[in-house]
Amino acid sequence: MEYDYYPLKSHIDTHNRIFGGRLWCIQDICGIICAGLTWFLIAYAEFVVMNVMLLPSPYPVYKIINIIIFNGATFLAISSHLKTMFSDPGAVTLGNATKENIQQMGFREGEIIFKCPKCSSIKPNRAHHCSVCKRCILKMDHHCPWVNNCIGERNQKFFVLFCCYIALISIHALFLCCNQFAMCIKHEWKECSTFSPPATVVLLLFLIFEALLFAVFTIIMLGTQLTAIWNDETGIEQLKKEEARWTKKSKWKSIESVFGRFSLLWFSPFSSPNIKTKMESCLYPV
């Protein structure tokens, strides 16, 4: 049954935000270090791919095509990471479980209202409290230190894209490394790189290790996320084996709730589906 709700007065929620509340950011030292490490590893892959393999390559067509593909996917991966990290995942307004607010929201007498004891917020259906963010997050899937943020209703698309593009550049880097090794062995390590043979081997081996690790991790994570979206469940709901107290969407509607209506914008980290329910407008900060 649906009820009519009325929006709360506009205010700026500055908790977990920087620059006067304009940008979402979790001040967690572990998450910040992990995010910085992610950027460093992407930068390392960019350095090796460009300076060891592609730029010194004597094959212009091979060089140009792979430069465009690798750098394009890297740009989208970094953009997706930043959007995931600095997007509000769906945080419920802090301390909104007051008598005045409850009356404004139009709850009826006798209706059961769940209140989070940790952040004093009205806890909507499918919301969970994150101990790192110190907020209730709507449709919280998990807290990921690699993006220093929770994965929830508002940023799950960006996280899926991040996993997808990292997996893509990891597989591409593996292909380039194998091709580079084959070329160096064929030419007996002469003119196969601007670096010395020992340095080239070390750089390529470390990149292969990094690419394998990230490819396996992101492909598994991508499969997990897509399965959860397909089944209209979150990671926490699957882990706790919670009985569905909500009306499950169809498979396609569940996908659209994360990515929006099908278009090429599905693959863009600069586009948000911008889907908002009545309940969200009451519980989220304006």
Side-chain angles (χ1 to χ4, degrees), residues 257-274:
S257 69
V258 175
F259 294 95
R261 291 187 177 182
F262 179 72
S263 71
L264 289 177
L265 293 178
W266 271 21
F267 307 99
S268 170
F270 305 103
S271 172
S272 174
N274 195 29

Side-chain angles (χ1 to χ4, degrees), residues 94-253:
L94 281 174
N96 67 351
T98 64
K99 183 177 180 180
E100 179 186 3
N101 288 348
I102 291 172
Q103 290 175 345
Q104 285 184 341
M105 290 178 188
F107 289 106
R108 299 182 180 182
E109 186 176 352
E111 187 175 354
I112 297 176
I113 301 171
F114 294 96
K115 176 183 176 181
C116 177
K118 298 177 181 178
C119 59
S120 299
S121 300
I122 295 175
K123 197 171 185 178
N125 194 23
R126 307 187 71 182
H128 292 85
H129 186 88
C130 174
S131 59
V132 179
C133 296
K134 296 180 174 56
R135 299 289 289 269
C136 280
I137 308 296
L138 192 62
K139 290 182 67 177
M140 176 182 168
D141 187 87
H142 68 287
H143 185 93
C144 179
W146 296 104
V147 297
N148 189 35
N149 203 358
C150 271
I151 308 305
E153 186 175 67
R154 289 186 174 181
N155 67 348
Q156 189 173 23
K157 171 191 173 180
F158 307 131
F159 182 72
V160 171
L161 291 180
F162 169 67
C163 292
C164 178
Y165 291 125
I166 288 293
L168 179 61
I169 64 175
S170 297
I171 294 171
H172 192 195
L174 284 172
F175 163 76
L176 293 173
C177 285
C178 292
N179 199 38
Q180 188 71 16
F181 265 122
M183 186 182 71
C184 288
I185 293 172
K186 180 180 178 181
H187 293 88
E188 298 181 350
W189 297 93
K190 295 177 181 178
E191 299 181 357
C192 73
S193 170
T194 54
F195 295 86
S196 65
T200 300
V201 171
V202 171
L203 290 169
L204 291 179
L205 286 178
F206 189 82
L207 180 57
I208 288 175
F209 173 76
E210 176 192 339
L212 276 173
L213 185 65
F214 271 82
V216 171
F217 175 77
T218 53
I219 288 172
I220 291 174
M221 182 59 70
L222 180 62
T224 302
Q225 288 290 300
L226 293 177
T227 301
I229 295 170
W230 182 258
N231 294 322
D232 193 17
E233 290 180 330
T234 65
I236 290 180
E237 291 163 353
Q238 290 178 331
L239 186 64
K240 293 183 175 181
K241 297 181 179 179
E242 293 185 2
E243 183 180 351
R245 298 186 302 273
W246 62 94
T247 303
K248 282 197 173 185
K249 305 181 185 73
S250 66
K251 307 295 186 184
W252 187 250
K253 288 292 184 183

Side-chain angles (χ1 to χ4, degrees), residues 3-9 100-107 278-279 281-283:
Y3 303 115
D4 293 327
Y5 300 105
Y6 302 92
L8 304 179
K9 295 179 181 178
E100 179 186 3
N101 288 348
I102 291 172
Q103 290 175 345
Q104 285 184 341
M105 290 178 188
F107 289 106
K278 292 181 182 180
M279 192 66 170
S281 63
C282 302
L283 296 175

Side-chain angles (χ1 to χ4, degrees), residues 59-124:
Y59 308 104
V61 176
Y62 171 85
K63 177 194 303 186
I64 293 172
I65 290 176
N66 283 286
I67 284 176
I68 292 173
I69 294 174
F70 189 84
N71 283 284
T74 300
F75 172 75
L76 291 171
I78 294 174
S79 299
S80 299
H81 184 274
L82 293 173
K83 285 286 288 186
T84 308
M85 183 175 177
F86 294 114
S87 291
D88 181 344
V92 179
T93 308
L94 281 174
N96 67 351
T98 64
K99 183 177 180 180
E100 179 186 3
N101 288 348
I102 291 172
Q103 290 175 345
Q104 285 184 341
M105 290 178 188
F107 289 106
R108 299 182 180 182
E109 186 176 352
E111 187 175 354
I112 297 176
I113 301 171
F114 294 96
K115 176 183 176 181
C116 177
K118 298 177 181 178
C119 59
S120 299
S121 300
I122 295 175
K123 197 171 185 178

